[in-house]
Amino acid sequence: MKSCLILFFLLVTTVMAIEKYSSRYDDVDVGRILANNRVLTAYIRCMLDEGSCTAEGRELKKTLPDALATGCSKCNEKQKVMAQKVIDHIQKKMPTDWNRLIVKYDPQGEYKKRYDTLQAAKNI
């Protein structure tokens, strides 16, 4: 019985660890990227398949569709804060690029609706 409980605990722990995105890039200075229009534009071009990608860009491009589909449920808190910061910046400062990203990653607008609902709930 003890061995079954230990096995179950290990399995649950392993599944929980798998359910989160890698924290490998959590220390990337997002503020610095957002402050450098040339670098930010390169990331956006990567996401839109219009330019080459850095390792971070490739990871983001690979993770983004799942993060959108799951409401970033596999993101840790730092990743959620970073994502919000990037979203706010691109929406306000680069609306044309924001719309192009929406067309590519959310053509039916389903993720935007969910995001807008969450934002409205936070503001209440």
Side-chain angles (χ1 to χ4, degrees):
M1 182 68 161
K2 280 185 181 181
S3 61
C4 286
L5 284 174
I6 291 171
L7 182 60
F8 177 74
F9 177 74
L10 288 173
L11 180 62
V12 168
T13 304
T14 303
V15 169
M16 288 174 65
I18 292 171
E19 289 297 316
K20 294 290 181 187
Y21 298 125
S22 170
S23 61
R24 181 178 1 171
Y25 299 110
D26 284 7
D27 293 324
V28 169
D29 187 349
V30 173
R32 212 164 134 192
I33 293 170
L34 296 177
N36 186 328
N37 199 41
R38 182 184 59 78
V39 173
L40 180 57
T41 299
Y43 274 101
I44 291 170
R45 289 178 52 89
C46 163
M47 299 304 295
L48 293 170
D49 297 321
E50 296 173 354
S52 61
C53 297
T54 63
E56 296 93 346
R58 282 189 298 275
E59 182 74 20
L60 176 60
K61 193 173 174 179
K62 180 178 82 176
T63 305
L64 185 61
D66 184 66
L68 289 170
T70 64
C72 212
S73 65
K74 297 177 188 175
C75 297
N76 63 37
E77 285 307 309
K78 190 170 188 177
Q79 291 164 343
K80 288 178 184 179
V81 169
M82 288 177 13
Q84 186 63 54
K85 190 174 187 178
V86 170
I87 289 168
D88 290 344
H89 181 87
I90 296 175
Q91 280 181 327
K92 291 174 187 164
K93 306 281 185 184
M94 305 174 89
T96 301
D97 289 322
W98 175 253
N99 288 331
R100 292 174 65 218
L101 289 164
I102 293 292
V103 166
K104 177 172 175 104
Y105 289 97
D106 190 19
Q108 280 74 43
E110 67 182 83
Y111 307 132
K112 184 179 182 321
K113 287 178 202 166
R114 185 181 325 141
Y115 177 78
D116 290 344
T117 301
L118 288 172
Q119 289 304 104
K122 283 182 182 180
N123 293 329
I124 290 178

